[in-house]
Amino acid sequence: ILYNLFIYFTVRDVSYIYYVAYLVIVPTFLVIHSGHGVLHVPYVYGLLTVNSLAAILWCLYAAVMLFMRSFLEIKQLHPVINRVINIFLIMFLINVILSQYLDGSFVVKFTAITPTFLAPFVIWVGCYSWAKGNKNGKFYVFSWLPLIVGTLFNSIVLSGFVALNAMSEILLPLGVILEATILSLALANRVKLSQELVLCSNREKSNNLKKY
């Protein structure tokens, strides 16, 4: 988290802010969901309810969408997809509010099944961006694969279809670690590509001036 914050203040790329938000929300959810919050942060854990867990997940999904839009430059390159992302963001905001008033068990189950259609959309956008020539799309797709596997399995557990076991407890944190590592490298590569484009542009301008 600190590393990505430092990079943000260095390059001023808003993608890092969305990624830091994501990195803050994920451990928060894992601590609460796993029950470790009772041991390590009981004073915070006591303030949270089942509905709070759902709200945290909706905020997590929003951070994922915002990061994807910024990292893959969706707003500039793919306006139609950007409109779909805006619809998702509005839906997430509405659900954050509704999650505080609806029945807890229903809210959690509804929140838990969201990745079953959100994950394919995220991967499709990454693949589409990659196919259209965006080199960042390749890193984006590969970084999310381990996390998506863990998230989908966790959704099945939260939905009540599979009992909580040792594998389900390990799979999601492992997916988060792998995803965070690959995505940090992807962000560094994005900065490198941006710098190379600036250098090429400056070199081209210099060559054009020499002609005169």
Side-chain angles (χ1 to χ4, degrees):
I1 293 172
L2 293 176
Y3 165 77
N4 284 287
L5 270 177
F6 174 77
I7 297 297
Y8 166 72
F9 288 118
T10 303
V11 301
R12 297 294 177 176
D13 187 338
V14 73
S15 299
Y16 283 91
I17 288 296
Y18 297 138
Y19 187 52
V20 167
Y22 165 79
L23 290 177
V24 170
I25 296 171
V26 167
T28 302
F29 167 74
L30 290 176
V31 167
I32 297 170
H33 176 55
S34 65
H36 293 304
V38 177
L39 299 175
H40 303 296
V41 281
Y43 49 91
V44 175
Y45 196 87
L47 300 174
L48 299 173
T49 63
V50 174
N51 298 63
S52 301
L53 185 63
I56 290 171
L57 279 175
W58 289 122
C59 291
L60 175 62
Y61 301 154
V64 170
M65 290 286 104
L66 289 168
F67 173 76
M68 179 176 70
R69 181 166 67 181
S70 177
F71 182 72
L72 297 177
E73 300 176 86
I74 299 297
K75 192 173 183 178
Q76 297 85 354
L77 302 176
H78 311 293
V80 175
I81 296 176
N82 183 60
R83 285 195 287 270
V84 176
I85 291 174
N86 287 336
I87 293 171
F88 271 117
L89 290 173
I90 293 170
M91 183 182 76
F92 296 157
L93 177 60
I94 292 171
N95 279 291
V96 167
I97 298 170
L98 290 179
S99 64
Q100 303 308 305
Y101 300 100
L102 299 177
D103 177 68
S105 60
F106 169 77
V107 166
V108 169
K109 287 185 178 180
F110 179 64
T111 309
I113 64 172
T114 301
T116 58
F117 62 84
L118 188 62
F121 175 73
V122 166
I123 290 296
W124 176 82
V125 172
C127 290
Y128 180 79
S129 181
W130 182 9
K132 289 295 181 179
N134 190 336
K135 294 181 180 179
N136 295 314
K138 174 175 63 176
F139 292 97
Y140 183 83
V141 170
F142 287 122
S143 67
W144 282 106
L145 286 177
L147 180 61
I148 284 175
V149 171
T151 302
L152 289 175
F153 193 81
N154 185 70
S155 296
I156 295 172
V157 172
L158 285 176
S159 300
F161 294 108
V162 176
L164 185 66
N165 52 49
M167 180 180 291
S168 62
E169 289 187 353
I170 294 173
L171 205 55
L172 185 57
L174 181 61
V176 169
I177 292 170
L178 290 173
E179 181 270 343
T181 302
I182 299 172
L183 210 49
S184 293
L185 295 174
L187 282 163
N189 183 72
R190 183 174 185 265
V191 173
K192 180 183 176 182
L193 289 174
S194 298
Q195 290 174 340
E196 288 177 353
L197 286 173
V198 171
L199 287 173
C200 288
S201 177
N202 291 337
R203 194 179 297 116
E204 187 176 341
K205 288 179 182 178
S206 178
N207 291 334
N208 289 334
L209 287 173
K210 288 178 180 179
K211 292 179 181 179
Y212 296 99

